[in-house]
């Protein structure tokens, strides 16, 4: 715990998210107290603010997440190699290459031909609706995961909606999201256990 205090001396900001005003909270710079079991609603609303205000890093999303991967509109599954080629792999996935106007195999998956995460100059689309011809000759509409996520966030996870669920004000959620997105480095520390930068 002393590292958190030392980081605060260096300018770090610590926000405690917990329903109770705990001994840890008194040492934090801020406290968000969602109702027990509503932290997911709080997190989704923070993501909605970050995306709506364009505070996210699209290059990072393209290279380090599954958000550019295409989802079939007919069955809600990822578009797979087996869908587009008779000998295709169930473990190969695709994104949309806007420059080529076609699908591109996502690198790094178990069934992919490329074993690294390097897209090789392709900037896969994060938004849009596209038509893809399947191996059986039928066409299907596909969309990137990010496009589906944004649609869902805007429909179900605004700060106002989250405020009604969590009890945390919409403005507090917005301030937290902006601070988190604006940090030079942000760390979610869950009970001093698994962390994600």
């Amino acid at each position: 715990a002393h590292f958190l205090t030392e980081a605060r001396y260096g300018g770090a900001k610590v926000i405690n998210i917990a329903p109770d005003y705990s001994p840890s909270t008194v040492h934090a710079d801020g406290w968000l107290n969602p109702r027990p079991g509503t932290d997911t609603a709080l997190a989704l609303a923070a993501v909605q603010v970050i995306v709506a205000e364009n505070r996210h890093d699209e290059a990072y999303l393209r290279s380090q997440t599954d958000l550019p991967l295409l989802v079939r509109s007919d069955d809600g599954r990822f578009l797979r190699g087996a869908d587009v080629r008779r000998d295709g792999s169930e473990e190969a996935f695709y994104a949309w290459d806007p420059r080529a106007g076609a699908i591109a195999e996502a690198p790094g998956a178990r069934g992919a031909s490329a074993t690294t995460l390097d897209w090789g100059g392709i900037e896969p689309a994060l938004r849009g609706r596209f038509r893809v011809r399947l191996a059986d000759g039928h066409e299907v509409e596909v969309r990137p995961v990010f496009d589906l996520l944004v649609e869902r966030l805007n429909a179900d996870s605004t700060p106002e909606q989250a405020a009604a669920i969590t009890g945390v004000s919409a403005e507090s959620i917005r301030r937290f999201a902006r601070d988190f997105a604006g940090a030079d480095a942000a760390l979610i520390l869950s009970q001093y256990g698994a962390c994600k930068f």
Side-chain angles (χ1 to χ4, degrees), residues 51-67:
V51 172
E53 295 182 0
N54 200 30
R55 295 173 182 265
H56 57 287
D57 180 348
E58 289 195 355
Y60 179 87
L61 298 182
R62 285 186 179 97
S63 68
Q64 300 296 313
T65 74
D66 66 355
L67 294 175

Side-chain angles (χ1 to χ4, degrees), residues 85 89 91-94 105-116:
R85 292 190 329 266
S89 170
E91 297 176 325
F93 304 102
Y94 292 86
E105 188 180 79
R110 182 177 295 164
S113 53
T115 58
T116 71

Side-chain angles (χ1 to χ4, degrees), residues 16-147:
N16 191 22
I17 301 174
D20 59 327
Y21 192 75
S22 67
S24 298
T25 302
V26 298
H27 300 287
D29 299 292
W31 174 45
L32 296 178
N33 59 331
R35 293 182 183 110
T38 65
D39 50 329
T40 300
L42 175 68
L44 289 170
V47 172
Q48 192 276 337
V49 171
I50 291 167
V51 172
E53 295 182 0
N54 200 30
R55 295 173 182 265
H56 57 287
D57 180 348
E58 289 195 355
Y60 179 87
L61 298 182
R62 285 186 179 97
S63 68
Q64 300 296 313
T65 74
D66 66 355
L67 294 175
L69 297 185
L70 296 172
V71 176
R72 294 174 53 157
S73 295
D74 61 341
D75 63 10
R77 291 181 42 154
F78 284 121
L79 182 68
R80 299 164 187 269
D83 296 332
V84 296
R85 292 190 329 266
R86 295 206 189 281
D87 63 342
S89 170
E90 279 287 327
E91 297 176 325
F93 304 102
Y94 292 86
W96 188 260
D97 179 355
R99 283 188 281 183
I103 59 173
E105 188 180 79
R110 182 177 295 164
S113 53
T115 58
T116 71
L117 295 178
D118 183 6
W119 281 94
I122 295 172
E123 286 190 13
L126 290 173
R127 296 184 188 241
R129 295 172 186 259
F130 313 101
R131 303 289 301 173
V132 172
R133 183 168 305 280
L134 302 178
D136 65 8
H138 290 90
E139 280 195 359
V140 66
E141 179 186 74
V142 292
R143 296 171 66 188
V145 173
F146 185 73
D147 200 42

